[in-house]
Amino acid sequence: MAKHKGKGWHGRLLAAGLGVTALAAATSVWTAQAEPTGGREPQTRVPASAPVSEVSTEIAHASDRGPEGVNITIDDGPDPVWTPQVLRLLKENGVKATFCMVGTQARAYPDLVKQVVADGHRLCDHTVAHDTTMDTRSEPYQSQQILDAERMITEASGGVRPQYYRAPGGAFTPYSRQLAASRGMRPLGWNVDTKDFERPGADAMVATVKNEISNGPTVLFHDAGGDRSQTVEALREVLPWLKQQGYSFGFPVR
């Protein structure tokens, strides 16, 4: 996985998230201990009241639809401008996706989080502040970033917990993977990076997917952090093309 560098919008998120994290440290401890272990619910909706079952610490790339499956993953939102457009395209194409949400964004736009869940998509914890240096940070800091985001996303969704954890920029650590897995969130990687955050043009993103989908099924897009019109255009072309090639759309393995 390529490691993305935090700057601009992500830098502002980091500053805001650090303040939230400092205030919420005590809440994180409660969140980590609030639910007993038990059987995992295998449905898309995982309510907060359901028991937590530990999952694998290995970073997931495979699709639950097998070798012909594709996992569409959407990072950094939700965003009031772009997330509704992405949701509309997914619905038009009959595609379910995984939304890796930043905690502060989820808290700011709970109606969009609820819409994502209502449309049958899955939630993923993408930390509070999108700090791409997570792998250099202390364990207490990593814990706060992951657990506070989990709480924010769960509250915004109306009680549906994230099923995955994606480290910003792929900055996983053994500790963060174990912590996420202990909360029932499978660490989630990617195989195809469209680099849409750099806005290379919709045609370039489409070409990347076509050229690299043979590398593996999990494709990375973004629905926040700036103008995502190129992402919307790329998805408009990529989703039907993938169907035409015989792929089916699924979720990352858990």
Side-chain angles (χ1 to χ4, degrees), residues 9 13 16-17 20 76-81 83 101-115 127-128 148-149 151-158 224:
W9 181 78
L13 266 180
V20 171
D76 293 3
D79 178 273
V81 174
T83 303
M101 295 185 176
V102 173
T104 49
Q105 293 294 109
R107 187 178 63 177
Y109 305 108
D111 288 347
L112 286 176
V113 182
K114 291 180 177 68
Q115 187 61 55
T127 74
V128 174
D148 290 344
R151 173 179 53 81
M152 291 176 184
I153 294 166
T154 302
E155 290 177 355
S157 72

Side-chain angles (χ1 to χ4, degrees), residues 92-105:
E92 288 172 358
N93 286 275
V95 174
K96 304 303 181 188
T98 301
F99 284 77
C100 298
M101 295 185 176
V102 173
T104 49
Q105 293 294 109

Side-chain angles (χ1 to χ4, degrees), residues 179-195:
L179 176 63
S182 74
R183 297 291 303 155
M185 297 185 291
R186 179 74 183 263
L188 176 59
W190 63 82
N191 306 104
V192 181
D193 183 358
T194 63
K195 300 189 185 299

Side-chain angles (χ1 to χ4, degrees), residues 9-10 74-78 100-102 105 126 130 197 222-224:
W9 181 78
H10 284 153
I74 314 289
D75 283 19
D76 293 3
C100 298
M101 295 185 176
V102 173
Q105 293 294 109
H126 203 35
H130 199 281
F197 199 79
H222 296 82
D223 64 342

Side-chain angles (χ1 to χ4, degrees), residues 177-240:
R177 289 191 289 110
Q178 180 59 55
L179 176 63
S182 74
R183 297 291 303 155
M185 297 185 291
R186 179 74 183 263
L188 176 59
W190 63 82
N191 306 104
V192 181
D193 183 358
T194 63
K195 300 189 185 299
D196 61 338
F197 199 79
E198 299 175 4
R199 288 183 282 189
D203 289 346
M205 297 178 208
V206 171
T208 295
V209 174
K210 290 182 176 181
N211 292 334
E212 298 184 14
I213 194 63
S214 60
N215 294 342
T218 303
V219 186
L220 174 61
F221 291 98
H222 296 82
D223 64 342
D227 184 345
R228 300 271 72 88
S229 58
Q230 293 181 6
T231 299
V232 172
E233 289 304 311
L235 282 167
R236 185 171 285 115
E237 182 173 344
V238 159
L239 298 178

Side-chain angles (χ1 to χ4, degrees), residues 44 70-72 90-91 93-99 118-122 249-251:
T44 298
V70 170
N71 307 320
I72 300 297
L90 293 172
K91 183 174 287 188
N93 286 275
V95 174
K96 304 303 181 188
T98 301
F99 284 77
D119 285 359
H121 307 295
R122 288 187 181 178
F249 296 93
F251 295 112

